[in-house]
């Protein structure tokens, strides 16, 4: 029976690896760029700006670059992938995300003190290091399950105003759930950052390999430690209301080549 299960798993594995994210060549989206003309056994090293890009085997043959496009990318600028020799260019479409106006009671979250700003800079550097962490596990992750159960209370990409002041756009998906609701790993990975951050509250960042990372914010409790290896479904923490929030929820970010993209592009059926 065991051998039989193993056989089924082995047969399923190649199909799972090819479950690609949905393509959306827009700011905050993902581009799937076939690297035509490259027939090397090894995946080529591809960069987009400063960051290394995920490259996975194509459906039939060759390699495909899976590229995260930043929210501030401009439709009238050609996007460029660079390789050791040559490169690939692609264009993106414009996307107007909706606006959202939020009221935060604690004014320090809208106009932070100089001390808060210092703290936030330090924390940003720590998070940037986690987002740019490069690892090469045997099996690339290209899809996720949802890390928590609940309605989506704020979609990705919203242009945000806190107490009527413009701030950075919403770089993740908010899932509303009561305080204490479980948060679980949406794919295998390694914990590369754990912290209590000024804006993000209790936060965990998980590296899934090849420049794909996920971040979990505002938790009431953290269940993991730095360096922990997670399987699909392993507990990460509990939903909470720490940091800059208007109520308990999970803020879930998906980062690809150090660019925050729409998490739902990676979730089947969404
Ligand atoms: Zn959020």
């Amino acid at each position: 029976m065991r051998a039989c299960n193993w056989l089924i798993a082995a047969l399923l594995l190649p199909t799972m690896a090819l479950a690609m994210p949905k393509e959306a060549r827009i700011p905050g989206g993902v581009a799937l760029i076939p690297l035509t003309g490259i027939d090397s056994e090894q995946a080529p090293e591809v960069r987009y700006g400063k960051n290394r890009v995920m490259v996975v085997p194509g459906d039939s043959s060759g390699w495909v670059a899976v590229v995260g496009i930043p929210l501030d990318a401009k439709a009238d600028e050609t996007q460029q992938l660079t390789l050791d020799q040559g490169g690939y260019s692609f264009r993106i479409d414009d996307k107007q995300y909706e606006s959202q106006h939020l009221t935060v009671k604690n004014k320090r979250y809208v106009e932070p003190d100089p001390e808060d700003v210092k703290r936030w800079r330090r924390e940003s550097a720590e998070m940037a290091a986690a987002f740019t962490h490069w690892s090469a596990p045997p099996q690339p992750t290209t899809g996720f399950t949802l890390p928590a159960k609940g309605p989506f209370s704020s979609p990705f990409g919203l242009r945000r105003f806190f107490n009527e002041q413009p701030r950075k756009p919403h770089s993740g998906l908010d899932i509303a759930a009561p305080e204490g609701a479980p948060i679980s790993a949406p794919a295998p990975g390694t914990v590369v950052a754990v912290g209590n951050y000024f804006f993000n509250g209790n936060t965990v960042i998980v590296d899934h390999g090849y420049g794909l990372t996920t971040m979990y914010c505002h938790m009431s409790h953290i269940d993991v430690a730095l360096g922990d290896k997670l399987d699909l479904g392993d507990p990460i923490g509990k939903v909470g209301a720490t940091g800059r929030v208007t109520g308990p929820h999970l803020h879930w970010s998906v980062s690809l080549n150090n660019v925050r993209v729409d998490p739902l592009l990676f979730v089947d059926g969404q």
Side-chain angles (χ1 to χ4, degrees), residues 54-56 129-147 183-193 204-216 224 228-234 236 252-257 261 263 266-267:
M54 177 188 277
V55 175
V56 297
F131 285 133
T132 52
H133 191 262
W134 185 267
S135 67
Q139 201 66 25
T141 289
T142 48
F144 294 121
T145 59
L146 287 167
I183 299 164
S184 54
T190 305
V191 177
V192 286
V204 167
I205 300 179
V206 179
D207 172 28
H208 303 281
Y210 305 96
L212 182 64
T213 55
T214 50
M215 178 166 75
Y216 309 80
V224 294
D228 279 3
K229 299 247 183 291
L230 306 177
D231 281 327
L232 170 68
D234 279 354
I236 289 178
W252 181 39
S253 281
V254 171
S255 180
L256 186 60
N257 49 269
V261 295
F266 286 81
V267 182

Side-chain angles (χ1 to χ4, degrees), residues 154 160 170 172-174 218 249 251-252:
S154 277
R160 283 193 143 173
H170 192 221
L173 169 71
D174 287 355
H218 311 308
H249 71 276
H251 171 103
W252 181 39

Side-chain angles (χ1 to χ4, degrees), residues 31-134:
L32 305 175
I33 309 292
L35 304 175
T36 47
I38 293 183
D39 49 13
S40 59
E41 293 260 305
Q42 285 247 312
E45 202 173 310
V46 178
R47 279 173 196 277
Y48 175 58
K50 280 188 288 194
N51 298 297
R52 191 162 169 190
V53 167
M54 177 188 277
V55 175
V56 297
D59 257 349
S60 45
S61 65
W63 298 100
V64 175
V66 184
V67 189
I69 306 161
L71 267 170
D72 61 2
K74 302 278 180 289
D76 55 5
E77 289 167 6
T78 302
Q79 309 300 312
Q80 198 69 40
L81 299 181
T82 52
L83 282 79
D84 274 349
Q85 285 171 333
Y88 295 81
S89 62
F90 62 98
R91 301 204 72 92
I92 59 168
D93 291 324
D94 212 358
K95 160 104 182 172
Q96 275 299 335
Y97 288 98
E98 303 278 308
S99 298
Q100 183 184 42
H101 296 259
L102 294 165
T103 306
V104 184
K105 285 201 195 93
N106 183 343
K107 291 201 169 48
R108 268 174 71 185
Y109 286 126
V110 182
E111 290 181 65
D113 294 345
E115 280 303 304
D116 300 334
V117 174
K118 251 164 96 183
R119 175 181 162 190
W120 173 242
R121 287 220 178 99
R122 206 170 52 234
E123 296 168 352
S124 295
E126 198 174 308
M127 282 183 267
F131 285 133
T132 52
H133 191 262
W134 185 267

